[in-house]
Amino acid sequence: LIEGLPLYKPLYQALAAYDMNTGEKLWDIPIGETPERIRNHPLLAGVDISTGGTGNSIQMVVGDLLVQTTEDLRGNTEVNENGMPVLNARNKRTGEILARVELPRPGLYGMMSYMHEGKQHIVVQTGSAKRGQPGALVALTLP
């Protein structure tokens, strides 16, 4: 840290994909907004550090999809237009968001996926102690 600022970006959390045959990094993106104490630091005046990678994200691979939750509520590209937590379905090879579903609460811990009667289901653990939202399960079906 220099004067309270981390030296590297993303500051805390990023989502990255690697080719396991070559070790080449295919893509990486920061997850979440930069904390206000860093975003408003005088040494960073005029610097865009809006996505510093401080959000909470849970990931799981389902076939060719990387399914990822986020709890960032500040309206950046990791949430929907209402600023609500979402479940993103990303192309695991490019990181591109292919579909997005709003979640009632931020994702917690992990997810589960299973097939039932020919349909793929995803169950997400949700909740937020810091927001007073008790834990709950959200079940979704892929089309």
Side-chain angles (χ1 to χ4, degrees):
L1 294 178
I2 295 177
E3 293 189 34
L5 295 173
L7 297 177
Y8 300 101
K9 186 177 177 184
L11 303 173
Y12 300 104
Q13 189 174 40
L15 186 59
Y18 289 84
D19 181 318
M20 299 304 286
N21 294 317
T22 66
E24 175 190 1
K25 184 188 286 187
L26 301 175
W27 55 268
D28 70 89
I29 56 169
I31 301 296
E33 289 257 339
T34 304
E36 190 173 334
R37 70 177 173 78
I38 294 172
R39 198 172 54 248
N40 295 330
H41 196 285
L43 290 176
L44 297 174
V47 177
D48 179 14
I49 53 170
S50 57
T51 54
T54 59
N56 181 30
S57 178
I58 311 301
Q59 305 89 33
M60 174 178 66
V61 174
V62 179
D64 286 335
L65 297 177
L66 173 70
V67 182
Q68 171 243 341
T69 68
T70 184
E71 88 171 292
D72 182 16
L73 300 177
R74 293 184 176 263
N76 70 20
T77 59
E78 295 304 314
V79 295
N80 71 7
E81 59 277 357
N82 299 320
M84 295 296 294
V86 293
L87 180 74
N88 291 322
R90 294 179 179 272
N91 178 316
K92 72 179 183 182
R93 301 202 187 288
T94 67
E96 174 189 6
I97 296 174
L98 303 174
R100 172 175 282 166
V101 176
E102 185 176 296
L103 293 173
R105 300 174 179 148
L108 290 173
Y109 313 120
M111 291 181 262
M112 174 178 84
S113 178
Y114 63 93
M115 292 287 288
H116 178 69
E117 296 182 356
K119 286 234 168 214
Q120 185 78 42
H121 299 267
I122 297 174
V123 179
V124 182
Q125 299 175 65
T126 66
S128 175
K130 66 183 174 185
R131 293 191 184 98
Q133 298 170 331
L137 296 175
V138 174
L140 306 160
T141 302
L142 297 179

